[in-house]
């Protein structure tokens, strides 16, 4: 996670999304494969942002919905 004072860089977000898309489809995250997905990743992020805005989601709510906290295991489930 970046520091709050760090400048925001959308290209890092687009590249991370493109890498995730390449890994999901081909199980290969090489720079060449990532380049193939850059345009699609930008469109995906834009569509997600527009949809979230249209449905009046806050960033914190969206993160919580996409990655909910996992319940702590009970002592007998740890082993």
């Amino acid at each position: 996670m970046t520091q709050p004072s760090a400048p925001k860089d959308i290209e890092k977000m687009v590249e991370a999304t493109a890498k995730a898309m390449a890994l999901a489809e081909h199980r290969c995250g090489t720079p060449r494969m990532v380049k193939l997905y850059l345009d699609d990743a930008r469109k995906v992020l834009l569509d997600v942002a527009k949809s979230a805005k249209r449905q009046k989601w806050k960033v914190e709510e969206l993160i919580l919905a996409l990655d909910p906290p996992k319940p702590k295991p009970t002592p007998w489930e740890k082993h």
Side-chain angles (χ1 to χ4, degrees), residues 72-79:
K72 292 184 178 182
T74 54
W76 56 86
E77 290 177 344
K78 286 183 182 178
H79 298 289

Side-chain angles (χ1 to χ4, degrees), residues 52 55-69:
Q55 295 179 18
K56 297 183 175 101
W57 283 82
K58 293 179 183 170
V59 175
E60 294 81 16
E61 295 172 336
L62 190 60
I63 291 171
L64 192 61
L66 291 172
D67 189 23

Side-chain angles (χ1 to χ4, degrees), residues 10 15 17 26 29-30 32 51 75:
I10 192 66
E15 190 172 331
T17 304
H26 299 287
T30 61
R32 180 175 280 172
S51 178

